[in-house]
Amino acid sequence: MAAGKKNSDLGLRFFILFALIIHVYDVWRRMWDYNFPFFEPLLFLFYLFLALTAVTFGPLKDEKGTFQYKFGKAIIISLIAYFIPIIINSVMFRLDTFLGGIVTFLAWLAMVATPVWIWYVIVSKVETSWVAQFLCFAYIIGWTGILLFLVAPTKYLTPEQVQVSAIHKLSVRNVWDQVEYGFEKFYDYFAININQIYQLATRRIQTAIDPYAARTDEQSKRRLGVFLSQLKPEPEKTFLKDYEINVLSELKADVIDTEINVNIICEGKDRKTGKIIPASEIFPYSEYSIEQPIKEKITCTFAPEFSTGIHEINMKAKIQDFKTLSYIRTFMMNKEALRALQKQGKDALQTYKVAPSELIATYTKGPLRLALKAGESPVAVDPSIKDFKMNFDMSLENLWEGSINKISRISLIVPKPFEITGLTSISLPPGKISFEKKSCISLPAEESQLCDDGKENLYELTQETIEALPKNIKLEPVIIRAKIATDKSKEILQEQPFTNKYFKATVVYDYEISKTTQITVKEASTEKE
């Protein structure tokens, strides 16, 4: 019997502790963080579970009656415990509007001091140990003390200071509205955003496979870069001499994940004198540090320095440190396994459900197309031969009407065990190094997170190599060809019949776009056309 009583008392202690936790959670959410979307459904389930535990090992376990009777009683008590804080929370601010801030304090006190299940244990004839009784009374006294010293000063407000909704009448409908709002919030969060949850999960899987590829995929679907709309005189093309001249364009910008700097320059050229006339004002700004998409109209104002006649005005947007990411997935296969499929007349890519579109380089949008190619998928690998070699090609192509002023960095990332052993498309003087091997931590913070020294080798082209690139990138693509080699061919497939390897590149550069318009200046005495 002693053991049975001990077990029963232990279960009752657990029930009291569980009831206290639920009530504290209820009060805490309603007082400080009510916007949690799962609050009402979660709390309702907690109270239903509390009713079940009350019958199985709580205060109703040893009461007389059928299980159905005791469980029904427990459900009623749990519903009362659930609705009391809602009722108090629903009416207290409306009462406070008329009776003053002290009512708010009393209402909060009533809310925290009404854990219905705890009071049931105290006032019922349930045999409890001094530990269970101490937990009950300590909770009530503790909450009262906390409220007096911490909550009361912040709640003792004048009616004008309390945000209330006095429009609604004090009724049972207010209580139901609050419960309904809680469940609707849960539905909106879960049902309406289920597609976003799915997309997030998909992106997390892709990120786990290769974070660089996941980032590039995400950014390749956006319009990245800086754009100027057509430059237009305001209000019209013809201006009177000795009057200010205004031209207008719209700056649109979007960036990947880091800040870029854009400088706006406006200049006019007097065709008679050949004089270059800078804008006297660029409004609202001539310099932008862009971290998120923007869309802004920019006006350039020129002092009345132009002679009569037709003149040209130019607006430039100089973009500093623009970044383009690119990667290509290369499908590699055991040479013997590939040969066996070919003898059977089977296509290796179709056999392993690899779409050709998945083996095309993906690059982020912007002024530069960064196309990559690493071998010809499927690439045959013979593990019995120690050495393996192939080409890794990168093509730089200017897609916009502007120009690349300066390339500050070109990074190449190859998966281990591959190494870059040389560049064949660029000639440097003897003794000059064309590239250097780097560590991922040398990259900017946002890039270093996408690079893994344990799985990849990072290389950067030297500044001498970058300066040796052809200057006609605006007219035709520039090819950079790297020699890839390894003397650990067994590590490529790692005893598997096939594998996917990701080859990557990043280019950081300055870009300039410009728009031009014409204006006509006439003598002030001449009537405008």
Side-chain angles (χ1 to χ4, degrees):
M1 291 294 292
K5 183 177 181 181
K6 182 178 180 180
N7 291 337
S8 177
D9 188 57
L10 183 63
L12 185 59
R13 293 182 197 178
F14 173 79
F15 174 84
I16 291 173
L17 184 62
F18 186 44
L20 288 176
I21 291 173
I22 291 178
H23 188 69
V24 169
Y25 176 76
D26 188 354
V27 173
W28 169 61
R29 282 292 184 186
R30 295 190 188 283
M31 291 178 72
W32 287 291
D33 193 17
Y34 185 64
N35 289 324
F36 179 53
F38 298 111
F39 173 67
E40 293 294 352
L42 192 62
L43 190 66
F44 190 75
L45 290 176
F46 279 165
Y47 275 112
L48 290 182
F49 183 72
L50 193 63
L52 182 62
T53 58
V55 177
T56 53
F57 53 78
L60 298 181
K61 178 177 181 294
D62 297 326
E63 282 194 6
K64 295 181 179 180
T66 63
F67 176 83
Q68 291 82 352
Y69 168 77
K70 291 189 290 185
F71 186 64
K73 182 179 179 180
I75 290 292
I76 294 174
I77 297 175
S78 280
L79 288 176
I80 294 173
Y82 172 70
F83 276 105
I84 281 181
I86 295 177
I87 295 172
I88 295 173
N89 193 45
S90 178
V91 303
M92 65 178 176
F93 283 135
R94 295 171 176 83
L95 290 176
D96 185 61
T97 304
F98 306 103
L99 300 180
I102 191 62
V103 175
T104 306
F105 165 72
L106 295 176
W108 285 124
L109 181 62
M111 182 185 295
V112 301
T114 52
V116 175
W117 274 112
I118 303 303
W119 283 110
Y120 181 84
V121 172
I122 293 175
V123 302
S124 67
K125 297 180 180 180
V126 179
E127 185 177 354
T128 60
S129 66
W130 69 270
V131 176
Q133 293 176 2
F134 174 79
L135 285 174
C136 296
F137 283 105
Y139 171 80
I140 303 299
I141 296 173
W143 253 120
T144 305
I146 291 173
L147 197 67
L148 283 171
F149 290 101
L150 297 179
V151 181
T154 65
K155 297 301 178 184
Y156 194 80
L157 305 174
T158 64
E160 292 78 13
Q161 292 174 304
V162 180
Q163 295 182 358
V164 297
S165 178
I167 299 176
H168 298 287
K169 295 181 179 180
L170 180 60
S171 65
V172 177
R173 179 64 186 175
N174 294 331
V175 178
W176 173 251
D177 287 344
Q178 191 174 142
V179 177
E180 187 178 33
Y181 169 77
F183 278 92
E184 286 179 354
K185 195 174 184 66
F186 165 75
Y187 174 80
D188 291 342
Y189 187 88
F190 182 78
I192 297 178
N193 295 307
I194 190 66
N195 186 48
Q196 295 182 6
I197 296 173
Y198 170 77
Q199 291 178 353
L200 178 63
T202 304
R203 187 159 58 249
R204 288 287 183 267
I205 294 172
Q206 175 65 17
T207 302
I209 296 173
D210 193 286
Y212 186 100
R215 174 68 60 83
T216 307
D217 285 338
E218 180 181 356
Q219 302 298 339
S220 67
K221 299 172 184 177
R222 296 171 58 191
R223 191 186 184 198
L224 303 179
V226 178
F227 310 89
L228 282 178
S229 66
Q230 183 59 48
L231 190 62
K232 297 179 180 180
E234 277 199 325
E236 54 188 43
K237 290 186 177 181
T238 302
F239 297 86
L240 296 180
K241 199 175 186 308
D242 299 330
Y243 282 71
E244 285 187 340
I245 295 171
N246 294 315
V247 293
L248 174 70
S249 181
E250 185 173 65
L251 173 68
K252 298 178 183 179
D254 195 2
V255 296
I256 297 178
D257 53 10
T258 187
E259 178 181 293
I260 64 171
N261 299 314
V262 179
N263 294 331
I264 304 298
I265 299 173
C266 286
E267 292 179 336
K269 183 178 181 180
D270 192 308
R271 287 187 175 180
K272 285 185 178 181
T273 64
K275 179 182 178 182
I276 301 299
I277 303 173
S280 58
E281 181 185 15
I282 299 176
F283 185 85
Y285 304 106
S286 62
E287 296 182 357
Y288 290 85
S289 294
I290 302 172
E291 299 182 31
Q292 58 186 4
I294 68 168
K295 184 177 180 181
E296 188 159 66
K297 294 185 184 298
I298 298 177
T299 301
C300 293
T301 301
F302 292 84
E305 299 182 32
F306 289 93
S307 60
T308 57
I310 299 175
H311 308 286
E312 191 175 88
I313 292 180
N314 177 266
M315 177 187 286
K316 296 179 181 178
K318 292 188 175 182
I319 309 159
Q320 300 175 359
D321 297 330
F322 196 91
K323 186 185 302 179
T324 297
L325 311 179
S326 181
Y327 79 92
I328 188 169
R329 170 189 170 194
T330 300
F331 185 75
M332 296 184 158
M333 191 172 176
N334 182 284
K335 186 176 181 179
E336 292 300 323
L338 178 60
R339 184 178 299 172
L341 286 176
Q342 290 173 343
K343 286 182 179 181
Q344 299 173 23
K346 296 182 179 180
D347 183 274
L349 299 181
Q350 292 181 357
T351 301
Y352 289 101
K353 309 297 182 184
V354 179
S357 59
E358 298 176 9
L359 305 175
I360 299 175
T362 301
Y363 56 91
T364 55
K365 297 293 175 60
L368 187 67
R369 174 185 286 140
L370 186 52
L372 304 178
K373 186 176 183 180
E376 193 70 42
S377 295
V379 176
V381 179
D382 189 348
S384 64
I385 300 177
K386 183 179 179 180
D387 295 327
F388 179 89
K389 300 177 182 180
M390 71 175 188
N391 289 319
F392 177 28
D393 297 344
M394 178 172 62
S395 172
L396 308 178
E397 183 180 358
N398 186 6
L399 298 178
W400 293 357
E401 297 179 356
S403 59
I404 296 176
N405 288 348
K406 174 188 174 184
I407 297 178
S408 56
R409 174 164 61 89
I410 297 179
S411 301
L412 302 176
I413 300 176
V414 298
K416 289 185 175 181
F418 295 107
E419 299 270 358
I420 294 180
T421 60
L423 301 177
T424 62
S425 58
I426 301 173
S427 297
L428 294 178
K432 294 293 184 179
I433 301 174
S434 58
F435 61 91
E436 293 178 330
K437 190 172 183 179
K438 299 276 189 174
S439 172
C440 291
I441 60 174
S442 67
L443 295 171
E446 70 276 1
E447 285 187 64
S448 63
Q449 299 174 1
L450 311 177
C451 180
D452 187 349
D453 284 320
K455 299 178 181 179
E456 300 167 314
N457 290 319
L458 167 67
Y459 299 87
E460 285 188 7
L461 273 60
T462 61
Q463 200 59 41
E464 291 84 358
T465 304
I466 293 175
E467 292 175 358
L469 292 174
K471 305 302 181 183
N472 62 342
I473 188 172
K474 186 173 181 179
L475 302 177
E476 60 184 35
V478 171
I479 306 296
I480 300 175
R481 180 168 293 113
K483 295 187 289 186
I484 303 294
T486 181
D487 58 0
K488 302 175 182 178
S489 61
K490 286 186 177 181
E491 295 184 11
I492 298 175
L493 296 175
Q494 297 182 343
E495 307 299 330
Q496 300 297 321
F498 68 92
T499 188
N500 292 294
K501 297 293 184 181
Y502 290 87
F503 295 81
K504 310 160 189 175
T506 301
V507 180
V508 182
Y509 50 97
D510 295 347
Y511 198 84
E512 181 182 294
I513 55 177
S514 64
K515 295 294 180 180
T516 302
T517 189
Q518 289 185 338
I519 61 166
T520 301
V521 178
K522 292 187 175 183
E523 291 290 349
S525 59
T526 304
E527 187 178 352
K528 293 173 67 176
E529 295 179 357

